[in-house]
Amino acid sequence: LLVRVLDGPDEGPTVLSRFTLEGRTTQPARAGVEILVCTAGRVCVGSIELDAGESVLVPASDGLYALGGRGVVYRVIANDGR
């Protein structure tokens, strides 16, 4: 897991995380609205399957979800309140 925090001028920090999935399932901590982008392989975000090049928006109101499969997923959380 790679995490990078980018400070914005007024909106607060944007957090970019990279998950490399190798058949194991992980359950990332939630922090508001998230955009997940699969850049390699095939992964599952809860019950949604993503192939490379596909993305999904996870609303803040959704609960925890599991990430699984084999591939790379980037997660963007804008203004996470840190």
Side-chain angles (χ1 to χ4, degrees), residues 25-39:
T25 301
T26 185
Q27 191 172 47
R30 293 295 317 272
V33 177
E34 300 177 1
I35 300 170
L36 300 170
V37 181
C38 177
T39 60

Side-chain angles (χ1 to χ4, degrees), residues 27-36 45-48 55-66 75 77:
Q27 191 172 47
R30 293 295 317 272
V33 177
E34 300 177 1
I35 300 170
L36 300 170
V45 179
S47 62
I48 299 170
S55 61
V56 65
L57 176 87
V58 182
S61 60
D62 281 9
L64 294 175
Y65 59 84
R75 176 178 70 171
I77 306 169

Side-chain angles (χ1 to χ4, degrees), residues 2-47:
L2 168 73
V3 177
R4 185 148 191 208
V5 178
L6 309 169
D7 286 324
D10 297 321
E11 298 82 25
T14 298
V15 178
L16 175 66
S17 306
R18 178 180 182 218
F19 297 90
T20 301
L21 304 170
E22 299 174 344
R24 295 184 308 272
T25 301
T26 185
Q27 191 172 47
R30 293 295 317 272
V33 177
E34 300 177 1
I35 300 170
L36 300 170
V37 181
C38 177
T39 60
R42 174 178 274 189
V43 299
C44 293
V45 179
S47 62

